[in-house]
């Protein structure tokens, strides 16, 4: 996944959403592997933050998509 000179705004948002999903999955998976409760809690919070970022990107994607129709 790479943003290039000809990448559209929608394509860039799509790439960003994919990166947020991957980050969220990483944090969730890592949290599941931790035996330390405070570490697990921290990584689950990171995953929730990524979900928030993903929701913001989805909203922007919908807005930009609606404008381009």
């Amino acid at each position: 996944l790479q943003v290039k000179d000809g990448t559209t705004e929608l394509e860039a948002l799509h790439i960003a959403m994919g990166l947020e999903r991957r980050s969220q999955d990483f944090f969730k998976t890592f949290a599941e592997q931790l035996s330390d409760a405070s570490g697990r809690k921290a990584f689950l919070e990171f995953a929730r933050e990524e979900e928030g970022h993903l929701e913001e990107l989805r909203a922007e994607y919908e807005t930009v998509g609606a404008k381009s129709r």
Side-chain angles (χ1 to χ4, degrees), residues 1-16:
L1 301 172
Q2 186 176 358
V3 176
K4 301 175 184 171
D5 285 340
T7 301
T8 67
E9 188 174 358
L10 279 176
E11 291 168 334
L13 287 165
H14 183 73
I15 291 168

Side-chain angles (χ1 to χ4, degrees), residues 18-35:
L19 293 170
E20 291 295 337
R21 279 189 211 97
R22 288 174 53 192
S23 295
Q24 182 185 28
D25 289 344
F26 168 79
F27 289 132
K28 280 183 178 178
T29 300
F30 194 77
E32 291 169 0
Q33 297 173 13
L34 294 175
S35 58

